[in-house]
């Protein structure tokens, strides 16, 4: 296949992790005879610096013309600490999501047996955890009207949803559940919020079309507790934009690191990005975990129906984790650099599963296997 990809490396550790993801994509292209064309464009703080806006027009144009977007991360503390800033890196991402109509954000969460003991959560809870969050991405409080009174003492963010916005992502979540363990949990706050009651009613009505899927409801406060107490109970979680944002960061702790989680945002177009942020403190230190970005590439390959290729990426990633090749976020005592992990994943894709590996050579940055 031949695909045009817009690459937005972004800020902080974004460029480093994206570099590794592209290495992996190139290995896949070589092995399976595909052609990926990369169009690198600016978004986020780096774009504001160069152009004054978070999402320059030609970046958006490129994304609209491409088959998919690969995104690193955006954000910069200079803006976080300045509530009066008129332009912010995040505006670029929100505008991009809206312009590409990426209404469904899919965030899979699983545990890996080899690193379970490194999770901050006790091991018994971590067995058989494998669920996916369907987060609505272009509506709700993120996109409702925002107001600040003239005297600066009252602020409002409107949370609004229309039935069709709920239906289109709910159908995707039901369909996903059907392919998995057939259980869908809608997370909301229907005891308080009108929008949540609309979610409940809409999802309950749609359930008629998916009678083979078990549907249940959880309030978001309870869901946040259940995620830690008993994460294995979940199969597909469906939720609105902000609840999904918060719960997916929480859920990442279960895997052992925020740096491991990939995501796909789909709708009219498709965008793939790790769920972590730009983590500026770690930038240019070769300590960022590239696996969230590399696993996002696997999701992109699945999106292109290249399932064997996606499996090759996932197997290689699992091999690195199973053999103790992890970055510092996962094991602060024994860790390897961002680019070393990327090289390893590439080597494993090229060489199939190696039998022997010289850890010393890996640490020294020599190519690795054999
Ligand atoms: C995410 C991020 C974004 C969000 C920010 C950067 C606007 O936290 O993708 O989860 O809140 O959606
Ligand atoms: Mn988030």
């Amino acid at each position: 296949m031949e695909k045009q990809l817009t690459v937005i490396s972004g800020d902080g550790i974004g460029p480093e992790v994206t570099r590794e993801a592209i290495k992996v994509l190139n290995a896949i292209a070589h092995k399976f005879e595909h052609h990926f064309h990369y169009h690198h464009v600016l978004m986020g703080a780096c774009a504001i610096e160069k152009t004054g806006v978070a999402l320059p027009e030609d970046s958006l144009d490129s994304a609209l013309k491409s088959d998919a977007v690969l995104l690193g991360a955006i954000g910069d503390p200079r803006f976080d600490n300045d509530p009066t800033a008129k332009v912010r890196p995040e505006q670029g991402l929100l505008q991009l999501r809206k312009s590409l109509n990426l209404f469904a954000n899919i965030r899979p969460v699983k545990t890996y047996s080899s690193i379970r003991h490194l999770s901050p959560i006790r091991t018994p809870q971590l067995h058989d955890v494998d669920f996916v969050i369907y987060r609505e991405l272009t509506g709700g409080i993120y996109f409702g009207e925002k107001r600040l009174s003239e005297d600066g003492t009252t602020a409002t963010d409107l949370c609004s949803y229309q039935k069709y916005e709920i239906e289109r992502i709910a159908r995707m979540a039901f369909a996903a559940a059907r392919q998995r363990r057939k259980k869908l949990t809608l997370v909301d706050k229907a005891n308080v919020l009108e929008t949540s009651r609309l979610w409940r009613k809409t999802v309950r009505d749609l359930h008629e079309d998916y009678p083979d899927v078990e549907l249940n409801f959880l309030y978001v406060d309870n869901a946040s507790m259940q995620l830690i107490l008993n994460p294995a109970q979940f199969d597909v979680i469906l939720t609105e934009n902000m609840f999904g944002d918060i719960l997916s960061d929480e859920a990442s702790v279960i895997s052992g690191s925020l740096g491991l989680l990939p995501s796909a945002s789909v709708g009219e177009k498709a965008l793939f990005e790790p769920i972590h942020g730009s983590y500026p403190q770690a930038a240019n230190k070769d300590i960022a975990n590239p696996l969230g970005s590399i696993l996002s590439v696997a999701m992109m390959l699945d999106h292109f129906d290249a399932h064997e290729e996606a499996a090759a990426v996932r197997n290689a990633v699992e091999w690195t984790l199973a053999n103790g090749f992890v970055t510092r976020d996962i094991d602060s005592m024994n860790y390897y650099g961002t680019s070393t992990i990327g090289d390893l994943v590439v080597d494993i894709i090229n060489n199939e599963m190696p039998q022997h590996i010289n850890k010393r050579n890996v640490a020294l940055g020599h190519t690795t296997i054999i």
Side-chain angles (χ1 to χ4, degrees), residues 107 135 142 245-246 248-249 275:
R107 298 184 162 184
R135 166 189 175 194
Y142 272 56
D245 178 45
I246 297 167
S248 55
D249 268 33
I275 85 155

Side-chain angles (χ1 to χ4, degrees), residues 74 90 93-94 97 105 107 135 137 142 241 245 248-249 273-275:
I74 52 121
E90 290 78 6
L93 181 57
L94 298 181
R97 287 173 177 169
N105 181 228
R107 298 184 162 184
R135 166 189 175 194
L137 201 61
Y142 272 56
N241 200 345
D245 178 45
S248 55
D249 268 33
E273 58 170 322
I275 85 155

Side-chain angles (χ1 to χ4, degrees), residues 105 107-109 121 131-135 142 185-189 218-228 231 234 236-255 258 261 275:
N105 181 228
R107 298 184 162 184
V109 179
I121 296 176
F131 63 89
V132 54
I133 301 177
Y134 275 68
R135 166 189 175 194
Y142 272 56
T185 305
L186 175 68
V187 172
D188 63 25
K189 189 74 187 172
L218 270 187
Y219 295 139
V220 62
D221 45 356
N222 186 13
S224 72
M225 185 173 70
Q226 295 298 329
L227 269 176
I228 302 299
F234 296 112
V236 178
I237 293 176
L238 168 64
T239 192
E240 63 93 60
N241 200 345
M242 189 156 80
F243 295 159
D245 178 45
I246 297 167
L247 292 181
S248 55
D249 268 33
E250 184 192 358
S252 75
V253 177
I254 299 166
S255 308
L258 186 61
L261 290 207
I275 85 155

Side-chain angles (χ1 to χ4, degrees), residues 61-69 96-97 99-104 264-272 303:
D61 277 353
S62 171
L64 284 166
K65 278 196 228 126
S66 298
D67 296 301
V69 179
L96 186 67
R97 287 173 177 169
S99 309
L100 303 184
N101 201 11
L102 305 172
F103 59 80
S265 302
V266 296
E268 253 163 65
K269 294 288 199 172
L271 176 148
F272 301 84
H303 176 78

